[in-house]
Amino acid sequence: MTLWRYELKKTLINQKGIWILLACLVLKIVLLAVFPEQKDGRIMLTQRQYDKYLAQLQGENTPEKSDWILTEYADFQQTKSMYTPMQNAYSAGELTEEEWKTFTEAYTEAELKMNSAAIFAEKAEQFLEQPNDVPAAHYIYEYGWQSAYTLLQFPDVFLLFGILLLTSLSLPSEHQSGMMPVLLGCRNGRRQLYLAKLGSLLTVCIISCALFGGIEWATFQYRGWMNDGNVPLYSITIFAECTLDLTLLEGYWLTQTVRLGGTVLFTVLMFGLSVWIRSTTELLFAGLCLLAVPMLWDGGAMLFTHSGLLRGTKMLIWQEEMGLKLWIPVLIIAGYSVVAAILAEKRLEKGI
Amino acid sequence: MLRKLVRYELKKQLSGPFFVIILILLLAVNVLLNCGIREYRDNAKQYEIDVGQEYPYGFWEAKKNERIGFGYTQRNYDILNTDIEGFAAAMIEKYGEDIFDPFGMLPEETYQLPGYFGDDCSDGSLIWAYSTLLTENEDLTRSIHKAVEAAKAYGREALEEGDNYGIRRNIDIIELYTVPRGRITSPVKGWDDVLFGKHTMLFVFLMILLACGGNFSAEREKQTLLLLHTSKYGKGMTMVAKYISSAVIAAGLTVIFQLSTIGAVWFKDGFMGLNQPAAAMEQLTMLSWPMTVWQYALVHLGCQILAAMLLSVMVNSISALSKTSILSYVAGVLVLGLLLVAQNTKREWLMGPLSLADPVRYFDSYCTANIFGFPVLWVILQTLLWTVIGGGCVYAAHRRFHRKGETV
C-alpha cells in the first residue's frame, strides 16, 4: 500500500502527471464547448415550421403519423412541381384570378414547410424500414443526441493520450534514468514494484475516466443534448439501422462503461508492453499505432481491439451487425491484455 | 565528409529493432488495407442484403473470378485496339447506326461466333467495350468544351471589370484546355486506387515521426551534444547531415510504402491503362495538362516525396527545439494530428506540407491563387511557402542547436 502511494505520488507530482491530465482535460473541455450541434442545415431556414411539425409528431411513431407526414411531403412536392404548368396556364388565361390565388397560396405554404416536412418524411421512411418486432421508434428533437453520439464514435483522444503518456513515463523512465537495477535489487523490488506501478496507473486511469466522463456528461446536459433519453436507440439517424434493445440513455451509459473498461485494459496492455519496450518514446509511438491503425479498418472485426471498444457509437453498431454479445469481445481483449501483463510481470521478476 | 556523416546518421536512425518492427507492421497493415479484403467484405454484405443469402464465394474464389473477369476485359480491349476504326465501321454497317447506344439492348446475333475479329471473341462484348470508350471520350470532350466556354464567358466578364487576374487565368484555361488530350483507348484500372487512396501516406508520416522525432533531442538526453559540438566537423555538418538523412529516409519511406500499395492493388485487381490520358480517371477529368497516367503518377509521387521531406524538416526542427525526446514526440504528435485534422477542412493553407501528400486537389482543375494579379499554381505556391517555412525551421534549429553555453 505504501509503495502504491509512493508510485501514485511519483506519477502525479514528480512526473507532472496531474498537469498532463489537466492540460488534456482543458483541451477536452474546449473541444466539447466548440463542437457544433449536428443540426440538419434545412432546419436553420425554417426553425418555426420544424418546431410545429415536431409538436405534432412528437412521441411514439404510429403508421398514421408516418402516413400523414409522407402524404404531406408528397403533396408539397406535387404543388411545387405544378408551378410552371400553372403559371403557363395562368398566362394563357386558362385560370381565373381566384384559382391562381388559391394555387399561389398553396405554393407559398409548400415552399415554407417543404424543408421541415422533408426532414420528418425522411425520418418516417427510416422508421418504415425498421423491423416490426421491435418497440416503435420515437419522433424527438434528435440533434442533441446525434451530436453526443457523433462525438462518442471516436475514442477520447485527450484522455488516452494523457494516460499513454503517463504509462510511458512509468517503467521506461526508470530504465532510462538507470534506476531499474536499483529497484530490482531491493528486497521487495520486483513483483511488488510491478503491481504498485500498475495499481497506481490504474487508479489514475479510473479517476481520470470518471472525471473526463463526468465533465462530458455535464457538458452534454448543459448544452441540452440529452433530452428524451428514454426512447429507443434507433429513433436517431445515427442508429437508424441498429435495432439494439436499448434506450438512448442506456446506450450512453453502456458506451461510457465499455469505454472505461477499454481504457483500463489499454493501460494494462501498454504497461505490460513497457517491460519490453523500454524507451518512453517508442512506447508512446507503439500506443499511438495500437489506437490509430485499427481505426482505419472500420469494420466489426475492430471490436476485438481496444480501439474498437473505445469507439462507443461504432461499438454499438458493430455489436448489432455482428450479432455478438458484448461480453465476448470484452473478454477476449481482457484476456490478451491481462496475459501480456502477466507475462511482463514474469519477465520483470526474472530481472533485466 | 558530409556523405560519411549522412551515412552514419542514416544508420543511427534506421538500425533500431523497434523501427524495423514498426516498419514491417505498418507495411503489412498497408497491404491489408489495399489488397481487396475490405471490398470483398462489403460485396459479401451487400449480396446478403440484396439476395438474402450468404455470399457463395470465399475470398480466394472471388479473387480468382475477378482475375478471370479482369483478364477478359483486358483481352477485349487489346483485340479491339488492333483495328478499332474498322470494327466501328463494320458494326454500324452490319447492325445499324444505333448499335453503340450505351442504353440500347444488343441483338442476340451480336453474341454469335465468329465475330469481326474471328472465333476468339463475339461482337457483342466488343460493342459493349467500344461504346464504353465512346461514352468516356464524349464525356471528356464535353467537359473540356464546357470549361473552355465557361472560361471565355468569365474572361469577357473579367475584361469588362478590368480584373487582371480573371483575364490572365481564363486565357490560361483556354490555352491549356484547347491542347488535345489524346483518345482514351482502354479504361484505367488499379491506378486510381494507388493514386487516390488515403491511408498510405498516413503510415509514411507516422514512420517519419518515429525516425526523426528524437533525432536531436536524443543527443541532448544522451549528453552527446557537447561531444558533437566540440568535434572537428561537429557544429554545422552534424546538423546538416541529420536533416539530409531524415529527408532521404522520408523519400525512401514514401517510395517503399507506395510500392507496397502498388503490390497490394496489383494483387487486388491488377492494372490497366498506364499509357492512357490521365483525364480518363474520374478524379482528373479536368486535369489542365495533357499527361498520361504514368506521367501523372510520377508527378503525384514527386509531390508526396516533397510532402514527406518537408514534414521530416518540421519534425527535426521540433526535435532540435525540444529539451527531451518525450517533449519532441508529444509536440510532433500534436503537429501531425492538427495537420491531419486540417486535411478535412479543405483549406490548403491550413494543411501545411501535408496538402502536397494528396495533390489531386491541385490537379483536378486549374487551381491557382491570385498573386498581384497573376495566376500562380497553388501547388507551386504551397511548395515555395513550405520550403521557406522549412528553411525558417532549420534556421531556428541551427540557433538552438549551436547555442553557446548550452547545458546538456
Side-chain angles (χ1 to χ4, degrees):
Chain A
M1 201 64 180
T2 322
L3 209 54
W4 170 79
R5 259 205 328 268
Y6 287 149
E7 287 300 336
L8 203 58
K9 188 187 162 214
K10 196 196 276 184
T11 307
L12 289 175
I13 312 290
N14 297 11
Q15 291 170 340
K16 299 186 176 70
I18 201 153
W19 296 112
I20 293 173
L21 288 173
L22 272 177
C24 293
L25 189 61
V26 169
L27 287 173
K28 166 127 187 167
I29 292 171
V30 171
L31 173 77
L32 290 173
V34 300
F35 190 77
E37 194 178 8
Q38 304 296 294
K39 215 170 179 175
D40 193 310
R42 289 170 294 184
I43 298 178
M44 312 290 182
L45 304 169
T46 49
Q47 179 73 52
R48 200 176 292 171
Q49 299 307 323
Y50 176 84
D51 293 342
K52 277 184 190 166
Y53 274 117
L54 184 61
Q56 275 174 286
L57 290 167
Q58 185 126 25
E60 193 176 307
N61 176 42
T62 56
E64 292 76 33
K65 279 185 185 177
S66 293
D67 286 348
W68 175 74
I69 189 66
L70 287 170
T71 316
E72 180 106 333
Y73 180 57
D75 287 348
F76 290 150
Q77 274 184 316
Q78 203 193 349
T79 309
K80 282 196 78 174
S81 67
M82 280 168 64
Y83 186 78
T84 315
M86 289 296 268
Q87 196 182 28
N88 291 341
Y90 178 64
S91 308
E94 292 164 12
L95 285 184
T96 64
E97 202 64 41
E98 194 62 31
E99 282 171 329
W100 174 243
K101 197 179 165 198
T102 314
F103 174 75
T104 47
E105 274 169 12
Y107 182 80
T108 314
E109 194 194 351
E111 278 273 291
L112 191 67
K113 293 184 175 175
M114 185 78 171
N115 282 326
S116 305
I119 293 169
F120 285 102
E122 282 161 19
K123 289 281 344 155
E125 273 165 11
Q126 267 174 26
F127 293 166
L128 280 175
E129 281 169 22
Q130 287 164 357
N132 296 324
D133 54 349
V134 294
H138 283 56
Y139 288 101
I140 54 166
Y141 179 79
E142 65 168 345
Y143 301 106
W145 279 107
Q146 188 77 15
S147 314
Y149 276 111
T150 304
L151 268 172
L152 286 175
Q153 67 180 318
F154 301 104
D156 190 341
V157 280
F158 300 116
L159 170 69
L160 287 168
F161 191 59
I163 297 285
L164 186 57
L165 209 53
L166 294 190
T167 312
S168 52
L169 284 171
S170 185
L171 268 180
S173 71
E174 304 285 11
H175 280 291
Q176 284 181 329
S177 63
M179 276 301 288
M180 209 57 196
V182 181
L183 290 171
L184 291 178
C186 62
R187 198 158 61 105
N188 291 324
R190 300 186 177 177
R191 191 186 170 87
Q192 284 195 15
L193 171 80
Y194 184 85
L195 291 177
K197 275 190 181 293
L198 181 59
S200 71
L201 264 179
L202 289 181
T203 310
V204 173
C205 171
I206 292 168
I207 293 172
S208 315
C209 276
L211 188 67
F212 278 60
I215 287 195
E216 192 174 74
W217 180 80
T219 318
F220 289 166
Q221 285 285 359
Y222 177 73
R223 296 188 72 175
W225 285 0
M226 297 178 89
N227 300 329
D228 299 314
N230 292 320
V231 307
L233 200 62
Y234 39 85
S235 300
I236 62 170
T237 308
I238 206 164
F239 289 117
E241 289 169 17
C242 172
T243 50
L244 280 180
D245 187 18
L246 291 171
T247 65
L248 286 167
L249 206 56
E250 285 167 353
Y252 176 78
W253 288 117
L254 178 65
T255 300
Q256 292 293 12
T257 313
V258 173
R259 275 159 81 113
L260 170 70
T263 313
V264 167
L265 291 175
F266 178 68
T267 312
V268 169
L269 178 69
M270 289 319 294
F271 185 75
L273 288 179
S274 71
V275 170
W276 289 285
I277 305 173
R278 293 173 199 173
S279 155
T280 315
T281 48
E282 287 179 356
L283 190 70
L284 189 65
F285 190 83
L288 282 176
C289 286
L290 214 64
L291 283 176
V293 172
M295 283 172 63
L296 300 173
W297 183 260
D298 201 19
M302 287 309 99
L303 267 184
F304 298 96
T305 66
H306 296 84
S307 186
L309 273 193
L310 292 165
R311 296 187 71 179
T313 310
K314 290 271 183 187
M315 180 268 296
L316 292 176
I317 294 171
W318 289 332
Q319 185 208 340
E320 201 263 341
E321 260 179 24
M322 294 184 79
L324 264 182
K325 297 277 180 216
L326 190 58
W327 59 266
I328 297 173
V330 173
L331 207 66
I332 289 173
I333 294 171
Y336 67 74
S337 303
V338 172
V339 165
I342 291 171
L343 287 176
E345 195 266 327
K346 299 279 175 220
R347 175 77 183 84
L348 197 77
E349 263 190 273
K350 274 189 200 165
I352 292 169
Chain B
M1 187 61 202
L2 187 63
R3 191 180 294 174
K4 203 171 176 182
L5 267 177
V6 170
R7 259 210 316 270
Y8 177 69
E9 288 297 335
L10 275 173
K11 196 177 152 201
K12 204 158 47 171
Q13 279 173 279
L14 301 178
S15 58
F18 186 76
F19 181 87
V20 178
I21 291 169
I22 292 284
L23 176 65
I24 292 169
L25 277 178
L26 290 188
L27 276 172
V29 173
N30 187 39
V31 168
L32 202 69
L33 285 171
N34 288 297
C35 70
I37 295 181
R38 280 196 303 180
E39 285 78 1
Y40 168 75
R41 182 198 66 184
D42 294 343
N43 287 345
K45 203 189 280 178
Q46 197 56 46
Y47 182 88
E48 279 172 27
I49 292 169
D50 294 345
V51 184
Q53 286 173 5
E54 204 174 315
Y55 194 53
Y57 303 111
F59 176 71
W60 295 105
E61 210 177 345
K63 191 101 310 245
K64 195 177 152 194
N65 291 344
E66 278 172 32
R67 286 237 159 232
I68 292 169
F70 185 84
Y72 183 71
T73 311
Q74 196 164 27
R75 186 172 142 269
N76 273 357
Y77 282 102
D78 287 346
I79 292 175
L80 190 62
N81 281 315
T82 53
D83 180 18
I84 196 161
E85 302 299 332
F87 172 77
M91 291 304 108
I92 288 171
E93 194 184 323
K94 195 169 173 186
Y95 302 111
E97 286 285 334
D98 293 337
I99 193 65
F100 296 124
D101 177 4
F103 302 109
M105 292 286 288
L106 290 181
E108 281 286 316
E109 61 201 271
T110 55
Y111 290 104
Q112 285 168 5
L113 289 171
Y116 177 80
F117 288 101
D119 275 339
D120 267 0
C121 208
S122 70
D123 287 341
S125 50
L126 294 182
I127 290 172
W128 184 83
Y130 182 79
S131 54
T132 308
L133 286 183
L134 214 57
T135 314
E136 280 186 19
N137 278 307
E138 276 169 12
D139 286 348
L140 182 61
T141 314
R142 204 175 303 125
S143 307
I144 301 287
H145 179 71
K146 264 189 194 169
V148 173
E149 288 307 310
K152 281 179 186 167
Y154 288 132
R156 272 194 294 273
E157 215 170 83
L159 200 62
E160 281 165 19
E161 289 168 5
D163 171 9
N164 287 335
Y165 169 70
I167 297 167
R168 290 187 181 114
R169 181 181 147 79
N170 286 299
I171 288 174
D172 285 354
I173 291 176
I174 294 165
E175 280 174 2
L176 285 168
Y177 286 96
T178 40
V179 178
R181 256 102 188 106
R183 265 189 92 69
I184 303 168
T185 54
S186 114
V188 179
K189 283 192 177 172
W191 293 107
D192 42 356
D193 287 343
V194 175
L195 294 171
F196 312 121
K198 297 283 178 202
H199 307 311
T200 309
M201 286 309 284
L202 178 69
F203 297 131
V204 176
F205 298 147
L206 281 174
M207 289 308 297
I208 289 172
L209 187 65
L210 179 64
C212 310
N215 224 358
F216 289 87
S217 49
E219 304 282 8
R220 204 168 273 128
E221 270 181 347
K222 285 187 226 158
Q223 307 198 339
T224 45
L225 205 60
L226 273 181
L227 284 175
L228 290 173
H229 283 178
T230 47
S231 63
K232 193 178 163 195
Y233 297 107
K235 276 216 155 183
M237 285 235 201
T238 318
M239 199 190 87
V240 175
K242 278 183 187 296
Y243 273 100
I244 293 177
S245 69
S246 300
V248 170
I249 288 172
L253 284 171
T254 312
V255 172
I256 290 172
F257 272 90
Q258 291 297 347
L259 283 177
S260 76
T261 306
I262 289 177
V265 173
W266 175 80
F267 170 78
K268 186 177 100 181
D269 282 334
F271 290 105
M272 203 190 279
L274 187 62
N275 289 313
Q276 293 302 310
M281 288 184 281
E282 201 187 335
Q283 294 86 341
L284 291 172
T285 310
M286 296 312 292
L287 177 72
S288 311
W289 300 273
M291 284 186 203
T292 59
V293 172
W294 71 265
Q295 283 166 339
Y296 175 76
L298 285 183
V299 173
H300 195 93
L301 182 66
C303 287
Q304 287 178 326
I305 288 176
L306 195 64
M309 286 163 106
L310 286 169
L311 185 73
S312 79
V313 169
M314 283 177 83
V315 175
N316 265 320
S317 305
I318 290 171
S319 178
L321 296 171
S322 306
K323 260 189 175 174
T324 61
S325 291
I326 194 112
L327 262 182
S328 148
Y329 274 96
V330 170
V333 168
L334 279 178
V335 169
L336 184 61
L338 286 173
L339 292 177
L340 287 171
V341 169
Q343 278 198 311
N344 295 324
T345 62
K346 301 197 186 307
R347 285 175 200 273
E348 284 82 5
W349 52 270
L350 268 181
M351 294 172 212
L354 264 57
S355 68
L356 292 166
D358 183 18
V360 67
R361 70 184 83 238
Y362 297 122
F363 293 106
D364 60 0
S365 61
Y366 185 57
C367 185
T368 57
N370 181 356
I371 306 291
F372 305 118
F374 287 89
V376 180
L377 287 175
W378 257 107
V379 64
I380 292 176
L381 205 65
Q382 282 277 342
T383 308
L384 288 176
L385 176 73
W386 288 102
T387 308
V388 171
I389 292 175
C393 288
V394 175
Y395 178 71
H398 170 78
R399 300 272 301 180
R400 174 81 171 91
F401 193 54
H402 297 136
R403 189 185 289 168
K404 278 183 185 167
E406 161 114 10
T407 51
V408 289

